[in-house]
């Protein structure tokens, strides 16, 4: 008996598992297979939407259409008066023609004499074609500025000649307002001025001059030989 060997028995329990690693690997593979089967079952249980299917459209509120308001009544156009144009904003033709016609007599000035700027378009019988009015524009120490305002009362354009003579003094300069200048000729105590351009019918022109050491009232003032007003 003493010469025989005893065969050792394999260990049991945890000691056997620790000494047999293939048992642990086999158990892990079984667990993974079970988990995979469970996952496949859960995935097949779902009902995926068919290919090409679209989600249901959300309801769209209908557009609210507001009808435009229509006026209940249309104002009637203003009545058209006879003789007045719908685009005219002034007087009727008859009234405008009456207001545009010149007066038969010249408008009186501050001194009661006819003003040179307002006159009939045609000269009255015996009235000169060119009428002039003399006045002093400005006075100062040693001299003054005088003026002869003229109006063409005839029916055609015409030139004019002014002659002025004073009791002493000296002419400094002379000029015409608003038109080309004319020709001046001086003589003792005075001068003459010949127009450089004609005056149209009903038109007016003014000759002004600067005198030194002379009385403001001339001894002579004529337009085309006719005595000036205002003296």
């Amino acid at each position: 008996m003493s010469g025989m060997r005893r065969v050792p028995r394999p260990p049991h329990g945890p000691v056997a598992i620790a000494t047999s690693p293939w048992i642990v690997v086999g158990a892990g593979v079984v667990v993974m297979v079970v988990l995979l089967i469970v996952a496949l079952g859960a995935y097949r249980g779902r009902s995926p939407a068919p290919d090409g299917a679209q989600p249901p459209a959300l309801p769209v509120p209908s557009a609210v259409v507001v009808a435009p308001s229509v006026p209940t009544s249309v104002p009637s156009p203003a009545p058209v008066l006879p003789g007045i144009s719908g685009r005219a904003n002034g007087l009727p033709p008859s009234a405008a023609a009456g207001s545009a016609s010149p007066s038969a007599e010249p408008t009186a000035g501050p001194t009661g004499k006819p003003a040179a700027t307002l006159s009939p378009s045609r000269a009255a019988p015996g009235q000169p074609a060119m009428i002039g009015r003399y006045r002093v524009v400005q006075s100062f120490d040693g001299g003054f500025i005088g003026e002869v305002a003229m109006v063409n009362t005839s029916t055609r354009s015409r030139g004019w000649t002014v002659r002025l003579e004073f009791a002493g003094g000296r002419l400094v300069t002379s000029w015409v307002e608003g038109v080309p200048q004319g020709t001046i000729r001086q003589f003792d105590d005075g001068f003459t001025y010949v127009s450089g351009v004609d005056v149209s019918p009903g038109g007016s022109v003014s000759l002004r001059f600067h005198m030194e050491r002379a009385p403001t009232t001339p001894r002579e003032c004529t337009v085309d030989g006719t005595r000036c007003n205002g003296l």
Side-chain angles (χ1 to χ4, degrees), residues 9 22 39 53 57 60 78 82 88 107 149 153 156 175 182 208-209 217 224:
R9 295 180 181 179
W22 62 270
V60 179
T107 304
T153 62
R156 65 179 182 86
W175 66 96
R208 290 191 175 185
F209 54 91
T217 302
D224 293 342

Side-chain angles (χ1 to χ4, degrees), residues 27-43:
V29 172
V30 173
V31 172
M32 291 179 62
V33 171
V34 173
L35 292 177
L36 180 60
I37 294 173
V38 173
L40 289 176
Y43 177 77

